[in-house]
Amino acid sequence: MELLKDKILTEGRVFPGQILKVDGFLNHQIDVTLMDRIGEEFYAAYKDRGITRILTIESSGIAIACSVARSFGVPVLFAKKSRSLNLGNDLYTATVTSYTYKKDYQVTISRDYLSAEDHVLIVDDFLATGNAMLGLLQLCRDAGATVEGVGICIEKGFQDGGKILRDQGISVTSLAIIDEMTDDGKIIFRD
Amino acid sequence: MELLKDKILTEGRVFPGQILKVDGFLNHQIDVTLMDRIGEEFYAAYKDRGITRILTIESSGIAIACSVARSFGVPVLFAKKSRSLNLGNDLYTATVTSYTYKKDYQVTISRDYLSAEDHVLIVDDFLATGNAMLGLLQLCRDAGATVEGVGICIEKGFQDGGKILRDQGISVTSLAIIDEMTDDGKIIFRD
């Protein structure tokens, strides 16, 4: 998606440790017009898949999910993060290991809002190691829901998440895949 | 707002401790059509105030803020919650005491995205004690930004937050004010 790549090149900032900050338009301050264009892109890619729910994870996936859900005319469901292991029987729960913080946390959704009838498009701002995404896939499996695809704004192509998901046969649509970020701040996209 | 009150009456659930669960449409699963109607309500109330930013706090304010921002044609900015006290000089920071968890946490926004030029509408899903809202007001004061108003979906009128804000001269627009929730689950709105 050229508009997103242009935004990343003009407003993104690269920091040591392969960190890309896009908090001016994606995950702190949010450019809602861009979100809506992203929503249309994912709608074009998955409109024939009978999508019933857009699933994401708090917090930075929520804005994107809302624009995608508007395009599809379906609800958003966002998984919550929790540090507690004892969360009750009315939730689907999966454990995620945070790459950044080297700690485990739980992701949960209420059993009321996801079932075997659902056809789910999962969306998020970033895909890197894929750990959070594997947690969301686990929640869908536990609910018996069908995952029709995964829609990502920015995939870090130099980390394993995309490969892990595609090797499982999951349809992954990334609007921008970064193959390299150089020490002097240059961002190189995959063609 | 009758549509929101109807949703609360038909889908909300009251739990002991004056807890209202509206996670079927507002803060877990999200009804985006309802969010857009809420956005239009707040636009109607504040459209003449020169709003430049919609400010909220993660996570459950983000969906509402995005719909409000779309109506105004301005960006969203969401404050982040953190447990760390040592957060660096590039952030505005305020301390909030959680009524639910009896713990302090920090709310932060980047100095890059809020300034004395800004006219801010703050929005959130709930107003109860007002502690989180006081934190957001502090961040705006530190930035020198003008707070034009506070837009709330559901105000718990039996708690102090609304009174505290209005006593400070802040324009608070609540789309549904609950005066009482009875032990048998009845919800009584203020007229």
mmCIF file of all heavy atoms in Angstrom, chain A residues 23-24 27-30 32 36 53 58-59 62-63 66-67 69-70 75-78 80 109-110 112-113, chain B residues 13 23-24 27-30 32 36 53 58-59 62-63 66-67 69-70 75-78 80 109-110 113:
data_model
loop_
_atom_site.group_PDB
_atom_site.id
_atom_site.type_symbol
_atom_site.label_atom_id
_atom_site.label_comp_id
_atom_site.label_asym_id
_atom_site.label_seq_id
_atom_site.Cartn_x
_atom_site.Cartn_y
_atom_site.Cartn_z
ATOM 1 N N ASP A 23 4.434 6.425 15.837
ATOM 2 C CA ASP A 23 3.409 6.878 16.777
ATOM 3 C C ASP A 23 2.789 8.222 16.387
ATOM 4 O O ASP A 23 1.903 8.712 17.067
ATOM 5 C CB ASP A 23 3.927 6.888 18.221
ATOM 6 C CG ASP A 23 5.114 7.827 18.421
ATOM 7 O OD1 ASP A 23 5.514 8.474 17.438
ATOM 8 O OD2 ASP A 23 5.621 7.907 19.547
ATOM 9 N N GLY A 24 3.219 8.765 15.276
ATOM 10 C CA GLY A 24 2.584 9.987 14.782
ATOM 11 C C GLY A 24 1.317 9.747 13.986
ATOM 12 O O GLY A 24 0.518 10.666 13.780
ATOM 13 N N ASN A 27 -0.086 4.403 16.164
ATOM 14 C CA ASN A 27 -0.331 3.758 17.458
ATOM 15 C C ASN A 27 -0.140 4.653 18.696
ATOM 16 O O ASN A 27 0.091 4.150 19.792
ATOM 17 C CB ASN A 27 0.492 2.468 17.594
ATOM 18 C CG ASN A 27 1.950 2.673 17.243
ATOM 19 O OD1 ASN A 27 2.439 3.794 17.297
ATOM 20 N ND2 ASN A 27 2.635 1.602 16.891
ATOM 21 N N HIS A 28 -0.288 5.942 18.492
ATOM 22 C CA HIS A 28 -0.350 6.851 19.667
ATOM 23 C C HIS A 28 -1.225 8.028 19.227
ATOM 24 O O HIS A 28 -2.361 8.159 19.664
ATOM 25 C CB HIS A 28 1.048 7.283 20.098
ATOM 26 C CG HIS A 28 1.080 8.213 21.271
ATOM 27 N ND1 HIS A 28 0.141 8.169 22.277
ATOM 28 C CD2 HIS A 28 1.931 9.220 21.611
ATOM 29 C CE1 HIS A 28 0.417 9.114 23.171
ATOM 30 N NE2 HIS A 28 1.490 9.761 22.784
ATOM 31 N N GLN A 29 -0.696 8.855 18.323
ATOM 32 C CA GLN A 29 -1.591 9.699 17.546
ATOM 33 C C GLN A 29 -2.078 8.845 16.365
ATOM 34 O O GLN A 29 -1.318 8.025 15.823
ATOM 35 C CB GLN A 29 -0.848 10.941 17.047
ATOM 36 C CG GLN A 29 -1.740 11.877 16.276
ATOM 37 C CD GLN A 29 -1.081 13.234 16.043
ATOM 38 O OE1 GLN A 29 -1.383 14.195 16.721
ATOM 39 N NE2 GLN A 29 -0.185 13.302 15.083
ATOM 40 N N ILE A 30 -3.350 9.011 15.994
ATOM 41 C CA ILE A 30 -3.929 8.149 14.954
ATOM 42 C C ILE A 30 -4.533 9.007 13.851
ATOM 43 O O ILE A 30 -5.372 9.872 14.117
ATOM 44 C CB ILE A 30 -5.018 7.227 15.543
ATOM 45 C CG1 ILE A 30 -4.406 6.290 16.584
ATOM 46 C CG2 ILE A 30 -5.702 6.416 14.437
ATOM 47 C CD1 ILE A 30 -5.432 5.611 17.459
ATOM 48 N N VAL A 32 -7.042 9.020 11.282
ATOM 49 C CA VAL A 32 -8.245 8.222 11.037
ATOM 50 C C VAL A 32 -8.517 8.058 9.532
ATOM 51 O O VAL A 32 -9.029 7.020 9.093
ATOM 52 C CB VAL A 32 -9.464 8.843 11.762
ATOM 53 C CG1 VAL A 32 -10.731 8.070 11.471
ATOM 54 C CG2 VAL A 32 -9.217 8.868 13.270
ATOM 55 N N ASP A 36 -9.038 4.496 7.631
ATOM 56 C CA ASP A 36 -10.152 4.125 6.752
ATOM 57 C C ASP A 36 -9.653 3.579 5.416
ATOM 58 O O ASP A 36 -10.251 2.657 4.851
ATOM 59 C CB ASP A 36 -11.077 5.326 6.541
ATOM 60 C CG ASP A 36 -11.912 5.632 7.790
ATOM 61 O OD1 ASP A 36 -11.940 4.790 8.708
ATOM 62 O OD2 ASP A 36 -12.540 6.706 7.841
ATOM 63 N N ARG A 53 -16.555 -11.215 12.087
ATOM 64 C CA ARG A 53 -15.927 -10.521 13.213
ATOM 65 C C ARG A 53 -14.537 -10.052 12.790
ATOM 66 O O ARG A 53 -13.819 -10.785 12.110
ATOM 67 C CB ARG A 53 -15.689 -11.474 14.406
ATOM 68 C CG ARG A 53 -16.890 -11.893 15.200
ATOM 69 C CD ARG A 53 -17.317 -10.818 16.186
ATOM 70 N NE ARG A 53 -18.404 -11.279 17.032
ATOM 71 C CZ ARG A 53 -19.631 -11.564 16.620
ATOM 72 N NH1 ARG A 53 -19.951 -11.483 15.345
ATOM 73 N NH2 ARG A 53 -20.555 -11.945 17.491
ATOM 74 N N GLU A 58 -5.763 -5.379 22.278
ATOM 75 C CA GLU A 58 -5.524 -4.025 22.779
ATOM 76 C C GLU A 58 -4.024 -3.747 22.836
ATOM 77 O O GLU A 58 -3.248 -4.670 23.004
ATOM 78 C CB GLU A 58 -6.155 -3.836 24.171
ATOM 79 C CG GLU A 58 -5.604 -4.736 25.246
ATOM 80 C CD GLU A 58 -6.239 -4.487 26.614
ATOM 81 O OE1 GLU A 58 -7.018 -3.549 26.795
ATOM 82 O OE2 GLU A 58 -5.943 -5.273 27.516
ATOM 83 N N SER A 59 -3.606 -2.458 22.739
ATOM 84 C CA SER A 59 -4.432 -1.310 22.442
ATOM 85 C C SER A 59 -4.301 -0.868 20.985
ATOM 86 O O SER A 59 -5.252 -0.374 20.401
ATOM 87 C CB SER A 59 -3.985 -0.109 23.291
ATOM 88 O OG SER A 59 -4.239 -0.313 24.630
ATOM 89 N N ILE A 62 -6.835 -1.531 17.948
ATOM 90 C CA ILE A 62 -8.262 -1.203 18.015
ATOM 91 C C ILE A 62 -8.678 -0.192 16.942
ATOM 92 O O ILE A 62 -9.709 -0.350 16.286
ATOM 93 C CB ILE A 62 -8.632 -0.681 19.432
ATOM 94 C CG1 ILE A 62 -8.433 -1.797 20.464
ATOM 95 C CG2 ILE A 62 -10.075 -0.178 19.458
ATOM 96 C CD1 ILE A 62 -8.595 -1.342 21.921
ATOM 97 N N ALA A 63 -7.878 0.841 16.734
ATOM 98 C CA ALA A 63 -8.237 1.858 15.748
ATOM 99 C C ALA A 63 -8.331 1.252 14.350
ATOM 100 O O ALA A 63 -9.282 1.514 13.597
ATOM 101 C CB ALA A 63 -7.210 2.992 15.776
ATOM 102 N N CYS A 66 -11.437 -0.995 13.993
ATOM 103 C CA CYS A 66 -12.699 -0.254 13.846
ATOM 104 C C CYS A 66 -12.915 0.174 12.391
ATOM 105 O O CYS A 66 -14.034 0.085 11.879
ATOM 106 C CB CYS A 66 -12.725 0.960 14.775
ATOM 107 S SG CYS A 66 -13.002 0.521 16.497
ATOM 108 N N SER A 67 -11.868 0.630 11.736
ATOM 109 C CA SER A 67 -12.015 1.031 10.332
ATOM 110 C C SER A 67 -12.263 -0.184 9.438
ATOM 111 O O SER A 67 -13.056 -0.119 8.493
ATOM 112 C CB SER A 67 -10.782 1.805 9.859
ATOM 113 O OG SER A 67 -10.803 3.125 10.375
ATOM 114 N N ALA A 69 -13.697 -2.998 10.388
ATOM 115 C CA ALA A 69 -15.053 -3.466 10.705
ATOM 116 C C ALA A 69 -16.113 -2.617 10.018
ATOM 117 O O ALA A 69 -17.147 -3.128 9.570
ATOM 118 C CB ALA A 69 -15.259 -3.447 12.220
ATOM 119 N N ARG A 70 -15.855 -1.311 9.929
ATOM 120 C CA ARG A 70 -16.794 -0.411 9.245
ATOM 121 C C ARG A 70 -16.923 -0.805 7.775
ATOM 122 O O ARG A 70 -18.023 -0.831 7.223
ATOM 123 C CB ARG A 70 -16.329 1.033 9.381
ATOM 124 C CG ARG A 70 -17.287 2.045 8.751
ATOM 125 C CD ARG A 70 -16.852 3.474 9.002
ATOM 126 N NE ARG A 70 -16.930 3.806 10.423
ATOM 127 C CZ ARG A 70 -15.920 3.800 11.265
ATOM 128 N NH1 ARG A 70 -14.693 3.512 10.841
ATOM 129 N NH2 ARG A 70 -16.115 4.091 12.528
ATOM 130 N N PRO A 75 -18.990 -6.417 13.703
ATOM 131 C CA PRO A 75 -18.405 -5.886 14.944
ATOM 132 C C PRO A 75 -16.901 -6.135 15.052
ATOM 133 O O PRO A 75 -16.356 -7.036 14.425
ATOM 134 C CB PRO A 75 -19.125 -6.676 16.052
ATOM 135 C CG PRO A 75 -20.228 -7.405 15.404
ATOM 136 C CD PRO A 75 -19.860 -7.581 13.965
ATOM 137 N N VAL A 76 -16.275 -5.313 15.874
ATOM 138 C CA VAL A 76 -14.900 -5.537 16.344
ATOM 139 C C VAL A 76 -14.957 -6.359 17.629
ATOM 140 O O VAL A 76 -15.878 -6.206 18.433
ATOM 141 C CB VAL A 76 -14.211 -4.194 16.665
ATOM 142 C CG1 VAL A 76 -12.903 -4.392 17.442
ATOM 143 C CG2 VAL A 76 -13.964 -3.398 15.394
ATOM 144 N N LEU A 77 -13.968 -7.208 17.814
ATOM 145 C CA LEU A 77 -13.759 -7.851 19.113
ATOM 146 C C LEU A 77 -12.280 -7.670 19.440
ATOM 147 O O LEU A 77 -11.432 -8.020 18.612
ATOM 148 C CB LEU A 77 -14.127 -9.327 19.027
ATOM 149 C CG LEU A 77 -14.030 -10.147 20.314
ATOM 150 C CD1 LEU A 77 -14.952 -9.615 21.396
ATOM 151 C CD2 LEU A 77 -14.343 -11.625 20.022
ATOM 152 N N PHE A 78 -11.982 -7.048 20.596
ATOM 153 C CA PHE A 78 -10.555 -6.934 20.921
ATOM 154 C C PHE A 78 -10.210 -7.768 22.137
ATOM 155 O O PHE A 78 -10.888 -7.729 23.163
ATOM 156 C CB PHE A 78 -10.074 -5.481 21.028
ATOM 157 C CG PHE A 78 -10.537 -4.680 22.210
ATOM 158 C CD1 PHE A 78 -9.863 -4.738 23.422
ATOM 159 C CD2 PHE A 78 -11.623 -3.831 22.102
ATOM 160 C CE1 PHE A 78 -10.263 -3.964 24.500
ATOM 161 C CE2 PHE A 78 -12.037 -3.055 23.181
ATOM 162 C CZ PHE A 78 -11.361 -3.135 24.379
ATOM 163 N N LYS A 80 -8.182 -8.851 25.383
ATOM 164 C CA LYS A 80 -7.590 -8.080 26.471
ATOM 165 C C LYS A 80 -6.331 -8.775 26.962
ATOM 166 O O LYS A 80 -6.231 -9.996 26.935
ATOM 167 C CB LYS A 80 -8.610 -7.918 27.596
ATOM 168 C CG LYS A 80 -9.863 -7.200 27.094
ATOM 169 C CD LYS A 80 -10.777 -6.761 28.218
ATOM 170 C CE LYS A 80 -11.946 -5.981 27.624
ATOM 171 N NZ LYS A 80 -12.735 -5.283 28.634
ATOM 172 N N ILE A 109 -10.603 -13.439 25.555
ATOM 173 C CA ILE A 109 -11.853 -12.898 25.018
ATOM 174 C C ILE A 109 -13.016 -13.632 25.689
ATOM 175 O O ILE A 109 -12.889 -14.782 26.104
ATOM 176 C CB ILE A 109 -11.978 -13.014 23.480
ATOM 177 C CG1 ILE A 109 -11.687 -14.435 23.000
ATOM 178 C CG2 ILE A 109 -11.069 -12.037 22.764
ATOM 179 C CD1 ILE A 109 -11.828 -14.593 21.500
ATOM 180 N N SER A 110 -14.129 -12.926 25.788
ATOM 181 C CA SER A 110 -15.316 -13.525 26.383
ATOM 182 C C SER A 110 -15.901 -14.583 25.453
ATOM 183 O O SER A 110 -15.964 -14.394 24.236
ATOM 184 C CB SER A 110 -16.357 -12.434 26.627
ATOM 185 O OG SER A 110 -17.607 -13.020 26.890
ATOM 186 N N ASP A 112 -18.819 -15.217 25.110
ATOM 187 C CA ASP A 112 -20.086 -14.720 24.572
ATOM 188 C C ASP A 112 -19.958 -14.220 23.134
ATOM 189 O O ASP A 112 -20.958 -14.124 22.415
ATOM 190 C CB ASP A 112 -20.614 -13.542 25.413
ATOM 191 C CG ASP A 112 -21.091 -13.989 26.781
ATOM 192 O OD1 ASP A 112 -21.341 -15.202 26.956
ATOM 193 O OD2 ASP A 112 -21.193 -13.135 27.670
ATOM 194 N N TYR A 113 -18.743 -13.823 22.724
ATOM 195 C CA TYR A 113 -18.632 -13.051 21.485
ATOM 196 C C TYR A 113 -17.860 -13.737 20.370
ATOM 197 O O TYR A 113 -17.590 -13.118 19.340
ATOM 198 C CB TYR A 113 -18.040 -11.667 21.793
ATOM 199 C CG TYR A 113 -18.811 -10.960 22.879
ATOM 200 C CD1 TYR A 113 -18.201 -10.536 24.042
ATOM 201 C CD2 TYR A 113 -20.187 -10.767 22.745
ATOM 202 C CE1 TYR A 113 -18.931 -9.922 25.048
ATOM 203 C CE2 TYR A 113 -20.928 -10.167 23.746
ATOM 204 C CZ TYR A 113 -20.295 -9.749 24.896
ATOM 205 O OH TYR A 113 -21.027 -9.155 25.892
ATOM 206 N N ARG B 13 -25.524 -5.389 31.560
ATOM 207 C CA ARG B 13 -25.769 -6.279 32.691
ATOM 208 C C ARG B 13 -25.176 -5.666 33.950
ATOM 209 O O ARG B 13 -24.035 -5.206 33.937
ATOM 210 C CB ARG B 13 -25.138 -7.654 32.426
ATOM 211 C CG ARG B 13 -25.866 -8.464 31.348
ATOM 212 C CD ARG B 13 -25.060 -9.688 30.962
ATOM 213 N NE ARG B 13 -23.789 -9.318 30.355
ATOM 214 C CZ ARG B 13 -22.742 -10.129 30.217
ATOM 215 N NH1 ARG B 13 -22.812 -11.377 30.663
ATOM 216 N NH2 ARG B 13 -21.619 -9.702 29.640
ATOM 217 N N ASP B 23 -19.932 -4.874 27.615
ATOM 218 C CA ASP B 23 -18.861 -5.360 26.747
ATOM 219 C C ASP B 23 -19.371 -5.995 25.461
ATOM 220 O O ASP B 23 -18.581 -6.430 24.639
ATOM 221 C CB ASP B 23 -17.904 -6.290 27.517
ATOM 222 C CG ASP B 23 -18.587 -7.520 28.065
ATOM 223 O OD1 ASP B 23 -19.804 -7.692 27.842
ATOM 224 O OD2 ASP B 23 -17.903 -8.332 28.715
ATOM 225 N N GLY B 24 -20.680 -6.022 25.282
ATOM 226 C CA GLY B 24 -21.233 -6.521 24.022
ATOM 227 C C GLY B 24 -21.243 -5.488 22.909
ATOM 228 O O GLY B 24 -21.375 -5.839 21.731
ATOM 229 N N ASN B 27 -16.996 -1.893 24.979
ATOM 230 C CA ASN B 27 -15.594 -1.957 25.400
ATOM 231 C C ASN B 27 -14.956 -3.347 25.394
ATOM 232 O O ASN B 27 -13.977 -3.591 26.090
ATOM 233 C CB ASN B 27 -15.422 -1.285 26.775
ATOM 234 C CG ASN B 27 -16.419 -1.785 27.791
ATOM 235 O OD1 ASN B 27 -16.968 -2.876 27.639
ATOM 236 N ND2 ASN B 27 -16.659 -0.999 28.821
ATOM 237 N N HIS B 28 -15.497 -4.247 24.556
ATOM 238 C CA HIS B 28 -14.808 -5.531 24.313
ATOM 239 C C HIS B 28 -15.195 -5.942 22.883
ATOM 240 O O HIS B 28 -14.372 -5.886 21.976
ATOM 241 C CB HIS B 28 -15.217 -6.567 25.354
ATOM 242 C CG HIS B 28 -14.579 -7.907 25.178
ATOM 243 N ND1 HIS B 28 -13.315 -8.062 24.654
ATOM 244 C CD2 HIS B 28 -15.022 -9.173 25.458
ATOM 245 C CE1 HIS B 28 -13.014 -9.365 24.619
ATOM 246 N NE2 HIS B 28 -14.027 -10.043 25.090
ATOM 247 N N GLN B 29 -16.453 -6.307 22.702
ATOM 248 C CA GLN B 29 -16.997 -6.281 21.350
ATOM 249 C C GLN B 29 -17.476 -4.838 21.108
ATOM 250 O O GLN B 29 -17.985 -4.180 22.027
ATOM 251 C CB GLN B 29 -18.162 -7.254 21.223
ATOM 252 C CG GLN B 29 -18.735 -7.316 19.819
ATOM 253 C CD GLN B 29 -19.681 -8.493 19.631
ATOM 254 O OE1 GLN B 29 -19.327 -9.496 19.063
ATOM 255 N NE2 GLN B 29 -20.901 -8.359 20.124
ATOM 256 N N ILE B 30 -17.278 -4.335 19.884
ATOM 257 C CA ILE B 30 -17.599 -2.932 19.590
ATOM 258 C C ILE B 30 -18.536 -2.839 18.403
ATOM 259 O O ILE B 30 -18.252 -3.383 17.330
ATOM 260 C CB ILE B 30 -16.313 -2.124 19.288
ATOM 261 C CG1 ILE B 30 -15.391 -2.120 20.514
ATOM 262 C CG2 ILE B 30 -16.642 -0.701 18.870
ATOM 263 C CD1 ILE B 30 -13.978 -1.704 20.200
ATOM 264 N N VAL B 32 -19.569 -0.693 15.724
ATOM 265 C CA VAL B 32 -18.965 0.476 15.069
ATOM 266 C C VAL B 32 -20.031 1.461 14.579
ATOM 267 O O VAL B 32 -19.818 2.680 14.569
ATOM 268 C CB VAL B 32 -18.046 0.031 13.912
ATOM 269 C CG1 VAL B 32 -17.458 1.223 13.173
ATOM 270 C CG2 VAL B 32 -16.913 -0.846 14.443
ATOM 271 N N ASP B 36 -20.173 5.428 15.517
ATOM 272 C CA ASP B 36 -20.284 6.543 14.567
ATOM 273 C C ASP B 36 -21.430 7.481 14.941
ATOM 274 O O ASP B 36 -21.318 8.706 14.783
ATOM 275 C CB ASP B 36 -20.464 6.012 13.143
ATOM 276 C CG ASP B 36 -19.170 5.426 12.589
ATOM 277 O OD1 ASP B 36 -18.103 5.635 13.203
ATOM 278 O OD2 ASP B 36 -19.222 4.754 11.538
ATOM 279 N N ARG B 53 -7.781 18.159 18.273
ATOM 280 C CA ARG B 53 -7.357 16.830 18.724
ATOM 281 C C ARG B 53 -8.487 16.198 19.528
ATOM 282 O O ARG B 53 -9.117 16.880 20.344
ATOM 283 C CB ARG B 53 -6.158 16.899 19.684
ATOM 284 C CG ARG B 53 -4.828 17.238 19.088
ATOM 285 C CD ARG B 53 -4.197 16.037 18.405
ATOM 286 N NE ARG B 53 -2.860 16.332 17.922
ATOM 287 C CZ ARG B 53 -2.568 17.189 16.957
ATOM 288 N NH1 ARG B 53 -3.500 17.881 16.360
ATOM 289 N NH2 ARG B 53 -1.302 17.348 16.582
ATOM 290 N N GLU B 58 -6.059 4.676 26.645
ATOM 291 C CA GLU B 58 -6.223 3.283 26.270
ATOM 292 C C GLU B 58 -6.940 2.526 27.379
ATOM 293 O O GLU B 58 -6.819 2.896 28.531
ATOM 294 C CB GLU B 58 -4.866 2.639 25.959
ATOM 295 C CG GLU B 58 -3.907 2.602 27.139
ATOM 296 C CD GLU B 58 -2.575 1.937 26.805
ATOM 297 O OE1 GLU B 58 -2.434 1.357 25.717
ATOM 298 O OE2 GLU B 58 -1.687 1.990 27.653
ATOM 299 N N SER B 59 -7.659 1.421 27.046
ATOM 300 C CA SER B 59 -7.917 0.927 25.715
ATOM 301 C C SER B 59 -9.328 1.275 25.243
ATOM 302 O O SER B 59 -9.561 1.493 24.068
ATOM 303 C CB SER B 59 -7.814 -0.605 25.689
ATOM 304 O OG SER B 59 -6.518 -1.041 25.887
ATOM 305 N N ILE B 62 -10.526 4.206 22.794
ATOM 306 C CA ILE B 62 -9.952 4.395 21.448
ATOM 307 C C ILE B 62 -11.000 4.288 20.348
ATOM 308 O O ILE B 62 -11.032 5.105 19.419
ATOM 309 C CB ILE B 62 -8.792 3.396 21.205
ATOM 310 C CG1 ILE B 62 -7.641 3.677 22.183
ATOM 311 C CG2 ILE B 62 -8.304 3.482 19.758
ATOM 312 C CD1 ILE B 62 -6.526 2.640 22.152
ATOM 313 N N ALA B 63 -11.871 3.295 20.444
ATOM 314 C CA ALA B 63 -12.880 3.111 19.391
ATOM 315 C C ALA B 63 -13.795 4.337 19.303
ATOM 316 O O ALA B 63 -14.083 4.833 18.206
ATOM 317 C CB ALA B 63 -13.703 1.850 19.675
ATOM 318 N N CYS B 66 -11.957 7.355 17.790
ATOM 319 C CA CYS B 66 -11.774 7.279 16.331
ATOM 320 C C CYS B 66 -13.033 7.754 15.601
ATOM 321 O O CYS B 66 -12.936 8.474 14.596
ATOM 322 C CB CYS B 66 -11.415 5.858 15.906
ATOM 323 S SG CYS B 66 -9.701 5.408 16.293
ATOM 324 N N SER B 67 -14.194 7.359 16.085
ATOM 325 C CA SER B 67 -15.431 7.808 15.429
ATOM 326 C C SER B 67 -15.656 9.306 15.639
ATOM 327 O O SER B 67 -16.106 10.000 14.725
ATOM 328 C CB SER B 67 -16.633 7.006 15.949
ATOM 329 O OG SER B 67 -16.640 5.716 15.372
ATOM 330 N N ALA B 69 -13.263 11.537 16.094
ATOM 331 C CA ALA B 69 -12.242 12.210 15.274
ATOM 332 C C ALA B 69 -12.645 12.240 13.806
ATOM 333 O O ALA B 69 -12.390 13.222 13.103
ATOM 334 C CB ALA B 69 -10.898 11.500 15.436
ATOM 335 N N ARG B 70 -13.279 11.168 13.339
ATOM 336 C CA ARG B 70 -13.738 11.126 11.942
ATOM 337 C C ARG B 70 -14.766 12.233 11.701
ATOM 338 O O ARG B 70 -14.728 12.914 10.671
ATOM 339 C CB ARG B 70 -14.333 9.754 11.630
ATOM 340 C CG ARG B 70 -14.786 9.593 10.175
ATOM 341 C CD ARG B 70 -15.275 8.191 9.886
ATOM 342 N NE ARG B 70 -14.171 7.245 9.971
ATOM 343 C CZ ARG B 70 -13.901 6.468 11.001
ATOM 344 N NH1 ARG B 70 -14.679 6.476 12.071
ATOM 345 N NH2 ARG B 70 -12.861 5.666 10.977
ATOM 346 N N PRO B 75 -7.009 14.378 14.196
ATOM 347 C CA PRO B 75 -6.422 13.128 14.702
ATOM 348 C C PRO B 75 -6.904 12.752 16.097
ATOM 349 O O PRO B 75 -7.351 13.610 16.866
ATOM 350 C CB PRO B 75 -4.913 13.428 14.761
ATOM 351 C CG PRO B 75 -4.708 14.718 14.063
ATOM 352 C CD PRO B 75 -6.017 15.461 14.123
ATOM 353 N N VAL B 76 -6.774 11.468 16.389
ATOM 354 C CA VAL B 76 -6.921 10.939 17.758
ATOM 355 C C VAL B 76 -5.553 10.958 18.424
ATOM 356 O O VAL B 76 -4.529 10.737 17.773
ATOM 357 C CB VAL B 76 -7.424 9.471 17.713
ATOM 358 C CG1 VAL B 76 -7.281 8.786 19.085
ATOM 359 C CG2 VAL B 76 -8.856 9.413 17.233
ATOM 360 N N LEU B 77 -5.548 11.189 19.716
ATOM 361 C CA LEU B 77 -4.339 10.966 20.517
ATOM 362 C C LEU B 77 -4.784 10.157 21.723
ATOM 363 O O LEU B 77 -5.721 10.555 22.416
ATOM 364 C CB LEU B 77 -3.747 12.309 20.944
ATOM 365 C CG LEU B 77 -2.446 12.282 21.742
ATOM 366 C CD1 LEU B 77 -1.314 11.631 20.959
ATOM 367 C CD2 LEU B 77 -2.055 13.703 22.143
ATOM 368 N N PHE B 78 -4.177 8.974 21.928
ATOM 369 C CA PHE B 78 -4.574 8.240 23.133
ATOM 370 C C PHE B 78 -3.417 8.170 24.121
ATOM 371 O O PHE B 78 -2.291 7.846 23.770
ATOM 372 C CB PHE B 78 -5.180 6.864 22.828
ATOM 373 C CG PHE B 78 -4.273 5.788 22.302
ATOM 374 C CD1 PHE B 78 -3.556 4.982 23.176
ATOM 375 C CD2 PHE B 78 -4.183 5.545 20.944
ATOM 376 C CE1 PHE B 78 -2.744 3.966 22.697
ATOM 377 C CE2 PHE B 78 -3.376 4.529 20.453
ATOM 378 C CZ PHE B 78 -2.645 3.742 21.330
ATOM 379 N N LYS B 80 -1.244 6.674 27.101
ATOM 380 C CA LYS B 80 -0.868 5.311 27.456
ATOM 381 C C LYS B 80 -0.768 5.179 28.971
ATOM 382 O O LYS B 80 -0.419 6.136 29.660
ATOM 383 C CB LYS B 80 0.456 4.953 26.787
ATOM 384 C CG LYS B 80 0.351 5.074 25.265
ATOM 385 C CD LYS B 80 1.520 4.458 24.543
ATOM 386 C CE LYS B 80 1.277 4.567 23.034
ATOM 387 N NZ LYS B 80 2.212 3.754 22.265
ATOM 388 N N ILE B 109 1.527 11.050 27.460
ATOM 389 C CA ILE B 109 1.458 11.320 26.020
ATOM 390 C C ILE B 109 2.775 11.960 25.585
ATOM 391 O O ILE B 109 3.452 12.613 26.384
ATOM 392 C CB ILE B 109 0.270 12.234 25.628
ATOM 393 C CG1 ILE B 109 0.223 13.495 26.479
ATOM 394 C CG2 ILE B 109 -1.048 11.514 25.699
ATOM 395 C CD1 ILE B 109 -0.903 14.433 26.104
ATOM 396 N N SER B 110 3.099 11.742 24.333
ATOM 397 C CA SER B 110 4.321 12.314 23.781
ATOM 398 C C SER B 110 4.161 13.822 23.625
ATOM 399 O O SER B 110 3.114 14.314 23.184
ATOM 400 C CB SER B 110 4.607 11.683 22.424
ATOM 401 O OG SER B 110 5.576 12.448 21.742
ATOM 402 N N TYR B 113 2.893 15.581 20.242
ATOM 403 C CA TYR B 113 1.548 15.557 19.659
ATOM 404 C C TYR B 113 0.513 16.406 20.388
ATOM 405 O O TYR B 113 -0.672 16.331 20.077
ATOM 406 C CB TYR B 113 1.063 14.110 19.521
ATOM 407 C CG TYR B 113 2.069 13.265 18.771
ATOM 408 C CD1 TYR B 113 2.634 12.128 19.343
ATOM 409 C CD2 TYR B 113 2.485 13.641 17.499
ATOM 410 C CE1 TYR B 113 3.582 11.384 18.663
ATOM 411 C CE2 TYR B 113 3.442 12.907 16.814
ATOM 412 C CZ TYR B 113 3.982 11.779 17.405
ATOM 413 O OH TYR B 113 4.930 11.061 16.731
#
